Amino acid sequence: MKKSAGRKTFEVFNFIFMILLCVVMLYPFLYVAACSVSSSASLQAGRVGLIPEGFNVDAYKAILGYKVIWRSYRNTIYYTVLGTAINLIMTMLGAYPLSREDFYGRGVFTIIIAITMYFSGGLIPTFLTINYLGIYDTVWAIVLPGAISTMNMIIMRTFFQGIPDALEEAAIIDGASDMQVLLRIILPLSVPSIMTIGMFYAVGHWNAWFDSLIYFRTSTKYPLQLVLRQIVIENNTNELEALEKGMYIEDEAQLNSSAETLKYAVIMVSAIPILCVYPFVQRYFVKGVMIGSIKG
Amino acid sequence: MGAKVKYTAAQKERARKRRWENIKKNRWLYVMFAPVLIYYIIFKYVPMVGIVIAFKKYNAFKGIIASPWVGFANFARFFNSVYAWRLIRNTFLISFYGLIFGFPAPILLALLLNELKDGAFKKITQTISYLPHFLSSVIIAGILISFLRPETGLFNNIRAAFGQERIYYLIHPQYFRTIYTGMGIWAGIGWGSIIYLAALTGVDPELYEACIIDGGGRIRQTIHITIPGILPTITIMLILRIGQLLSVGADTILLLYTPSTYETADVISTYVYRVGLIDADYSFSTAVGLFNSVIAMILLTIANTVSKRLGETSLW
């Protein structure tokens, strides 16, 4: 079939639109990357667009020599690993019984859980609960309150329901307990889905900062995102001055603008791990969203 | 339901026994589920009970139970304060802009992506459009702030190149909503399109063939087949969105606002955060938060009922 002229015009415009979209999505990162390796002077003069000017990596040297960054990186990795492990265990423990039709009380439990998707105690009552539990200013205040995302548990339950009942029944007839069925049959068959949900959780932990802001009093426990917030958004002078000491600065005028180069470099340092990983994991996410949308 | 069947005492007894045996047989399922239930009780239901402090004058030394009741005094204080109207207006307007500009954006993108041929170009475009979803709000806000900076920011460099004066965007209240809405679209358009693309793959190809045979062009196909095909998905997403018309999250706004932009940027959740956690006025801020979530529940229920009446798509 021949394409009409209108169709061809549309296709050209659509193509241009998509290219523009990609530019708009990527440009901020390329710009930040270029600024982070440019000299303070050219940044100040607004001469940096896409190509760095006065190339240097002083800002990165300063950041990598600064122990707060390393410490917060380590904190983030710790919270992400511990948090995701708790998330996955709890989500599976909830999803498997709910996927079993012979689980008496399933309806009531589902309602108890679903209510929390539409109504919650809110910020302050949750904060007070954490305080009463005595886990304020500990890692548990970060990893326990969000131990289960109801949405993710429903997605996982749907995955589990897709596994043929015959497999479970056969195992039970062979004398396996429910725990064994979960560990030996259900889990091995759902590795890809568990990976998907695990990545949902992990990216959430990696990017989280609000809970840390609320629940940590001790700043040495801060995750990377919160330190990033102090430096980039709040212009925290203590952190900035400490960073500037690590930079080689010739004169007073440059000292002013070095703060900006540093901010760009800090953004890059915190974004790079995600930028490297995301092209490979995004398809799992897409799959998860699609399953969630079918059985939301 | 039909006629009620009368069970004899013996039949009831047998049913009870069978149920009990079923529970006993599945006891491991209950062992597994116990921590989950405890989690929901402690971290979800205990805070819900904690909402009672909205009706009390909470005193940390006396504890929740011994603190005196004050009825609706905390609510009255909120509605009599100068902030109430500003907060409600800002919360509503920010999410309303999100609704009219941010909601259609991913649908349009999905329709346009759907017109591309399957292949590398489509895949790469999609992957790039998902990028912001994987980054933290701190990174996104940090980049945005640097773009808006008066002396070196990209937007001001462009302005300067055209001979315009530089503007300190983030300290002027009139720009805040535009900045926030624009950022929301940039960050959400790609990821938001996934759900509609999934719905588009579910549209029956035979319908298109029938339309072509009837002489329908691309535009007619889009209006009569594609859009009705994804309408249930759009409806569900719209219900959810309307239900959230008064729930603007605190975190992104906290990153972008300053006291000089409170006039347009301060929303209920950021106010609850400041009054509750910074000034430690627990009862009052809980009351403000409760007001917010009750309104949100009402909005969601209305949206759901309307959509049920219109065409059978509903959340519950």
Side-chain angles (χ1 to χ4, degrees), chain B residues 211-248:
Chain B
C211 189
I212 292 166
I213 290 165
D214 289 346
R218 282 280 180 168
I219 295 167
R220 287 239 323 256
Q221 288 173 39
T222 305
I223 292 170
H224 295 294
I225 295 167
T226 312
I227 292 180
I230 60 171
L231 204 57
T233 310
I234 296 178
T235 314
I236 289 273
M237 299 308 282
L238 195 62
I239 297 175
L240 288 170
R241 194 65 179 251
I242 289 171
Q244 284 163 359
L245 263 183
L246 267 188
S247 342
V248 175

Side-chain angles (χ1 to χ4, degrees), chain B residues 30-72:
Chain B
Y30 294 91
V31 174
M32 280 180 215
F33 202 71
V36 176
L37 203 59
I38 292 168
Y39 163 77
Y40 273 96
I41 291 168
I42 293 179
F43 290 102
K44 305 285 171 181
Y45 281 90
V46 168
M48 281 189 213
V49 175
I51 290 176
V52 296
I53 67 167
F55 304 96
K56 288 187 164 216
K57 189 176 160 58
Y58 176 72
N59 181 321
F61 298 106
K62 287 184 187 161
I64 291 175
I65 296 162
S67 294
W69 292 95
V70 295
F72 285 88

Side-chain angles (χ1 to χ4, degrees), chain A residues 38-287:
Chain A
S38 295
S39 72
S40 313
S42 16
L43 207 61
Q44 193 83 319
R47 287 200 302 267
V48 181
L50 258 184
I51 298 139
E53 207 185 276
F55 183 88
N56 71 84
V57 290
D58 292 353
Y60 287 93
K61 277 187 205 149
I63 288 164
L64 296 180
Y66 188 43
K67 77 170 192 302
V68 172
I69 297 282
W70 288 102
R71 190 178 62 209
S72 63
Y73 241 110
R74 208 173 47 231
N75 287 341
T76 294
I77 292 169
Y78 173 47
Y79 305 150
T80 303
V81 171
L82 179 69
T84 308
I86 291 173
N87 287 145
L88 280 179
I89 292 167
M90 290 294 284
T91 307
M92 284 189 284
L93 289 179
Y96 180 61
L98 289 176
S99 76
R100 287 268 299 257
E101 263 160 40
D102 57 344
F103 180 50
Y104 180 77
R106 183 163 98 131
V108 180
F109 293 137
T110 307
I111 291 169
I112 290 175
I113 287 163
I115 286 173
T116 64
M117 288 175 83
Y118 298 103
F119 196 77
S120 79
L123 183 69
I124 306 300
T126 307
F127 175 80
L128 292 177
T129 307
I130 301 293
N131 268 318
Y132 274 114
L133 290 170
I135 54 175
Y136 177 76
D137 203 30
T138 70
V139 58
W140 306 112
I142 304 301
V143 295
L144 290 182
I148 297 176
S149 139
T150 304
M151 192 65 213
N152 287 348
M153 190 163 76
I154 290 171
I155 294 174
M156 200 184 275
R157 185 203 63 185
T158 312
F159 277 132
F160 288 169
Q161 276 170 339
I163 295 169
D165 290 343
L167 286 171
E168 293 167 62
E169 278 157 21
I172 290 170
I173 289 166
D174 286 349
S177 75
D178 287 319
M179 205 45 131
Q180 284 169 320
V181 171
L182 175 60
L183 293 176
R184 302 252 169 86
I185 297 183
I186 304 291
L187 292 193
L189 287 173
S190 349
V191 171
S193 14
I194 291 168
M195 292 263 290
T196 305
I197 306 255
M199 266 178 276
F200 269 132
Y201 281 126
V203 171
H205 285 295
W206 188 272
N207 288 335
W209 60 274
F210 190 63
D211 281 355
S212 304
L213 175 71
I214 294 174
Y215 295 124
F216 283 144
R217 181 178 26 209
T218 318
S219 63
T220 53
K221 293 176 184 167
Y222 281 2
L224 180 64
Q225 301 300 334
L226 209 49
V227 172
L228 182 68
R229 173 175 179 263
Q230 286 184 321
I231 296 174
V232 177
I233 304 204
E234 294 192 307
N235 278 317
N236 186 311
T237 43
N238 289 338
E239 306 284 0
L240 278 171
E241 274 166 20
L243 275 171
E244 276 167 347
K245 276 184 200 139
M247 270 181 98
Y248 171 70
I249 289 157
E250 296 154 27
D251 56 58
E252 275 299 304
Q254 276 204 324
L255 193 70
N256 266 331
S257 57
S258 66
E260 293 216 2
T261 318
L262 278 167
K263 285 179 188 173
Y264 288 117
V266 178
I267 292 175
M268 284 314 290
V269 166
S270 64
I272 282 168
I274 291 272
L275 290 177
C276 293
V277 172
Y278 113 93
F280 306 100
V281 301
Q282 51 95 11
R283 65 199 175 95
Y284 291 102
F285 275 76
V286 173
K287 214 166 56 185

Side-chain angles (χ1 to χ4, degrees), chain B residues 16 59 80 92 114 126 136 172 175 251-252 266 309:
Chain B
R16 213 174 58 87
N59 181 321
N80 289 330
F92 174 76
N114 197 44
Q126 279 180 276
S136 79
H172 295 301
Y175 301 117
D251 58 349
T252 314
D266 196 17
R309 291 268 161 77

Side-chain angles (χ1 to χ4, degrees), chain B residues 109-144:
Chain B
L109 179 64
L111 290 174
L112 291 176
L113 279 169
N114 197 44
E115 297 294 328
L116 291 179
K117 272 196 288 292
D118 284 324
F121 180 70
K122 187 177 177 181
K123 261 219 166 78
I124 292 169
T125 309
Q126 279 180 276
T127 304
I128 289 174
S129 73
Y130 301 154
L131 172 61
H133 180 79
F134 290 83
L135 295 166
S136 79
S137 46
V138 184
I139 293 179
I140 293 174
I143 295 178
L144 185 61

